[in-house]
Amino acid sequence: MSDCLLDVQHISVRVDSKHVLRNLSMRIGRGETHVLMGPNGAGKSTLGNVLMGNPAYELEGGTILFDGADITDMPTDKRARAGLFMSFQNPLEVPGISVETFIRSAIQQRTGERVKLFQFQKELKAAMELLDMDASYAGRDLNVGFSGGERKKSEILQLLMLHPKFAVLDETDSGLDVDAVRTVSKGIEAYQRSHEGALLVITHSTRILESLHSDYTHILVNGSIVKTGDGSLVEEVNRHGFEQFLREGVHE
């Protein structure tokens, strides 16, 4: 197993007085891809938000270690600079800031160094071509007027350009047609090939997993991980759904 990059130790989370995650632990090694599956309302997106330090989610107990450092109380901006990234289910519009400007600024914030414009634009063009994005999108306001598929491509474009150590992809295939899922998957595969970082792919579907290698699959039910296995666990979900895991979650 690779050296541990993310170590989540016994976290419990409350949102608006409701317990959403209960005593959850997870270890993710460098270069590993983990899949987190479960029915709607299981707490999957909550975990992603907690890892990124979203203040709307109250961490009642537990510890989060990232790259050897305790980030349990670290604010979101510092987590991003440390190398964490999250792709959201519903990316927000950012009027007045172009896709290119946003990404270039994010890289400068992450690295603390001035971006070399020629090299940046060369990499941006290559990444956009990989994602079948028209070059004109670089100059458009971030996500403004973008379709659902275009917004998801924009998120994966940021993933490819920012080179994070660890990325959470939250329901990236949600609302996408078959062709768009394939295109987004190409971008994720490119990240897997070219970085030593790690991925946590959150989904309740299995479409995006058809072309992605995964090392571990976790089933989350009622705020707790009820089963962990390899990629074959995805096939089990395909055949039988989440019903058996729901029973296990109730039992616990």
Side-chain angles (χ1 to χ4, degrees):
M1 179 177 176
S2 305
D3 292 339
C4 184
L5 178 65
L6 179 75
D7 189 2
V8 180
Q9 302 176 354
H10 307 291
I11 63 169
S12 295
V13 177
R14 181 191 295 266
V15 181
D16 296 330
S17 75
K18 179 183 177 182
H19 284 99
V20 182
L21 297 179
R22 299 173 177 83
N23 196 34
L24 185 147
S25 296
M26 178 184 293
R27 287 170 59 90
I28 299 179
R30 300 178 195 279
E32 292 180 347
T33 295
H34 288 233
V35 174
L36 182 66
M37 302 186 71
N40 289 330
K44 303 185 300 296
S45 294
T46 293
L47 176 59
N49 278 283
V50 169
L51 294 179
M52 288 305 301
N54 188 328
Y57 296 78
E58 181 185 353
L59 188 63
E60 292 192 307
T63 303
I64 302 173
L65 303 176
F66 179 69
D67 206 11
D70 188 340
I71 64 167
T72 309
D73 299 316
M74 184 180 288
T76 299
D77 61 330
K78 289 187 177 180
R79 295 188 194 206
R81 285 197 290 272
L84 281 86
F85 172 92
M86 183 171 179
S87 169
F88 295 95
Q89 288 188 48
N90 299 300
L92 297 175
E93 294 184 354
V94 185
I97 300 179
S98 71
V99 171
E100 180 176 349
T101 299
F102 178 85
I103 294 176
R104 189 169 70 244
S105 176
I107 293 172
Q108 289 180 171
Q109 289 291 324
R110 163 127 161 67
T111 64
E113 301 175 358
R114 187 173 180 177
V115 173
K116 296 179 180 178
L117 188 59
F118 176 78
Q119 183 63 30
F120 167 79
Q121 291 180 333
K122 181 180 178 182
E123 291 183 14
L124 183 66
K125 179 182 178 182
M128 292 182 74
E129 288 176 351
L130 176 69
L131 295 170
D132 294 331
M133 295 180 72
D134 190 277
S136 64
Y137 278 82
R140 291 181 57 177
D141 287 359
L142 182 65
N143 295 329
V144 176
F146 286 22
S147 68
E150 290 164 348
R151 291 188 183 207
K152 297 300 177 69
K153 288 181 182 180
S154 175
E155 293 278 283
I156 301 305
L157 179 64
Q158 294 168 45
L159 171 70
L160 292 173
M161 293 298 296
L162 286 169
H163 305 168
K165 296 177 183 177
F166 174 74
V168 179
L169 305 183
D170 188 7
E171 303 284 6
T172 300
D173 55 345
S174 176
L176 300 185
D177 61 28
V178 174
D179 290 336
V181 169
R182 288 190 184 126
T183 300
V184 166
S185 296
K186 281 197 303 183
I188 300 171
E189 286 180 287
Y191 172 82
Q192 288 178 310
R193 288 194 306 269
S194 61
H195 299 82
E196 294 183 355
L199 280 172
L200 177 61
V201 181
I202 297 174
T203 184
H204 67 269
S205 175
T206 59
R207 292 188 306 163
I208 200 168
L209 306 177
E210 292 175 1
S211 58
L212 297 179
H213 166 77
S214 61
D215 298 290
Y216 296 94
T217 302
H218 311 274
I219 305 298
L220 185 70
V221 175
N222 295 326
S224 299
I225 293 177
V226 296
K227 189 165 185 177
T228 293
D230 57 19
S232 64
L233 190 52
V234 174
E235 296 305 317
E236 189 174 336
V237 171
N238 275 336
R239 290 194 302 270
H240 305 295
F242 293 114
E243 185 175 352
Q244 62 175 312
F245 304 114
L246 287 169
R247 290 196 298 269
E248 292 175 29
V250 169
H251 177 72
E252 286 195 354

